[in-house]
Amino acid sequence: MRAIGMTTFGGPDVLHEIDHPEPEVGDHEVRVRVAAATVNNGDLLMRRGAVHQLRHAAPWVPGMEAAGVVDAVGAGAAGRFRVGEAVTAHVWPIDPRGGAYGDLTVAHMDRVVHAPHGASIAQAATLPMNGLTAYGALEAAGLREPGTVAVIGAAGAVGGYVVQLAVAAGHRVVADAAATDRELVESLGVHVVVPRGPDVAEAVRAAVGEVDAVVLAAMPTLDAAAIVRHGGAVVSVFGFGDPVQAATARRRRVRLAGVVVDDVAGPAPKLRHLRELAESGGITLRVADEVPAAEAAGVHRRMEQGGVRGRIVLRF
């Protein structure tokens, strides 16, 4: 089959069209004939050789989200999906069978969901991985009652989902936005918008006081614990490595939590809830652009330049 991958690690130009074996479908898996695959930051890391779990030999095929139609169903997944149904899936590209940048891809049935009604195939592709990441971030925050949540990086794909999921859960949301993104961030349903930049923590404190949780979908080294109440949490989609953050968190008794989409427990019901929210308008499926799959290298260059709002989608 046709796939977009690489035989060596490096810059965007290592990506090229390759002839790749068709993936076999496992017992509890679904094989998808891909029509659309998103480009995520994790794809850039894989292309650079920065994904340490990637242990099989070249070629490597990136891609963590795909949408298309069911091509084959394993015996254990037969009761949930049928050939020909429109679906979207969270894919593990470290699998030797390859990721989402190909004509066919496979995913565990618990990470596949029927495409939202009314969504384009490109929009559907943006739902599973980023949606599960946002879901996991709010779960990691550990808020058992409605509270105040600050979202840093609200204009991005993951940050936007965090905002809308938090609003749907009844939280008061304060979020950052550059002047050019303010209208977009306000459209997500935030209650308070503060200016994006190095003083964002102080701006949040000035606007709403201490918060119950901060979700860092951008600015991973921000010392966010300084604006969180004692016993609250800072959740990062990047992990933590800054000693200043750790010291502040210890002093203020604030919990630091990371979120990895592969580790989000019980993904199937969460994906169904995300689909329902997409169908009802509770979350917005944002496509920044649609590009032929053969132009993946150019998309990676655009991603490295930053400023993308939503997801760029490769079309197969």
Side-chain angles (χ1 to χ4, degrees), residues 91-111:
V91 180
W92 289 20
I94 61 173
D95 189 312
R97 294 172 294 178
Y101 289 12
D103 288 332
L104 294 167
T105 193
V106 292
H108 191 279
M109 66 180 185
D110 285 345
R111 293 184 177 270

Side-chain angles (χ1 to χ4, degrees), residues 189-250:
V190 300
H191 302 91
V192 180
V193 179
V194 299
R196 179 169 173 77
D199 299 324
V200 66
E202 291 78 5
V204 170
R205 185 192 294 277
V208 299
E210 291 185 346
V211 299
D212 297 292
V214 175
V215 177
L216 296 176
M219 299 180 70
T221 61
L222 180 70
D223 191 15
I227 59 170
V228 177
R229 63 167 176 80
H230 289 195
V234 178
V235 182
S236 174
V237 302
F238 307 96
F240 294 96
D242 187 340
V244 174
Q245 290 176 313
T248 303
R250 285 194 300 271

Side-chain angles (χ1 to χ4, degrees), residues 135-206:
Y135 220 119
L138 285 175
E139 285 191 331
L143 300 182
R144 304 194 180 280
E145 297 179 356
T148 300
V149 178
V151 181
I152 308 302
V158 173
Y161 281 151
V162 174
V163 167
Q164 292 185 301
L165 285 172
V167 170
H171 300 302
R172 183 188 186 204
V173 178
V174 53
D176 67 329
T180 53
D181 292 324
R182 186 179 183 95
E183 184 176 350
L184 165 63
V185 171
E186 287 177 339
S187 74
L188 300 174
V190 300
H191 302 91
V192 180
V193 179
V194 299
R196 179 169 173 77
D199 299 324
V200 66
E202 291 78 5
V204 170
R205 185 192 294 277

Side-chain angles (χ1 to χ4, degrees), residues 28-310:
H28 291 88
E29 292 180 330
V30 176
R31 188 166 71 183
V32 179
R33 183 161 295 280
V34 178
T38 63
V39 179
N40 291 275
N41 289 327
D43 303 343
L44 276 60
L45 292 174
M46 181 175 172
R47 189 205 73 226
R48 297 171 189 148
V51 177
H52 303 303
Q53 302 96 322
L54 189 65
R55 297 188 176 96
H56 66 272
W60 303 288
V61 178
M64 305 175 77
E65 292 178 304
V69 298
V70 175
D71 178 79
V73 181
R80 195 180 298 178
F81 298 99
R82 294 183 296 180
V83 171
E85 292 180 322
V87 295
T88 184
H90 171 223
V91 180
W92 289 20
I94 61 173
D95 189 312
R97 294 172 294 178
Y101 289 12
D103 288 332
L104 294 167
T105 193
V106 292
H108 191 279
M109 66 180 185
D110 285 345
R111 293 184 177 270
V112 182
V113 69
H114 293 99
H117 294 298
S120 71
I121 201 68
Q123 289 173 326
T126 70
L127 177 67
M129 192 204 78
N130 294 295
L132 284 175
T133 301
Y135 220 119
L138 285 175
E139 285 191 331
L143 300 182
R144 304 194 180 280
E145 297 179 356
T148 300
V149 178
V151 181
I152 308 302
V158 173
Y161 281 151
V162 174
V163 167
Q164 292 185 301
L165 285 172
V167 170
H171 300 302
R172 183 188 186 204
V173 178
V174 53
D176 67 329
T180 53
D181 292 324
R182 186 179 183 95
E183 184 176 350
L184 165 63
V185 171
E186 287 177 339
S187 74
L188 300 174
V190 300
H191 302 91
V192 180
V193 179
V194 299
R196 179 169 173 77
D199 299 324
V200 66
E202 291 78 5
V204 170
R205 185 192 294 277
V208 299
E210 291 185 346
V211 299
D212 297 292
V214 175
V215 177
L216 296 176
M219 299 180 70
T221 61
L222 180 70
D223 191 15
I227 59 170
V228 177
R229 63 167 176 80
H230 289 195
V234 178
V235 182
S236 174
V237 302
F238 307 96
F240 294 96
D242 187 340
V244 174
Q245 290 176 313
T248 303
R250 285 194 300 271
R251 185 176 70 251
R252 295 181 56 81
R253 301 197 305 276
V254 169
R255 182 169 50 86
L256 300 181
V259 56
V260 178
V261 66
D262 295 353
D263 296 333
V264 173
K270 295 179 176 66
L271 283 172
R272 290 193 288 270
H273 185 217
L274 288 164
R275 183 192 66 210
E276 291 166 1
L277 287 171
E279 291 174 341
S280 67
I283 59 174
T284 306
L285 306 175
R286 290 190 287 141
V287 175
D289 199 1
E290 297 182 46
V291 177
E295 300 176 18
V299 175
H300 276 230
R301 279 191 287 272
R302 287 174 61 183
M303 290 282 291
E304 290 181 336
Q305 293 167 2
V308 176
R309 297 296 178 251

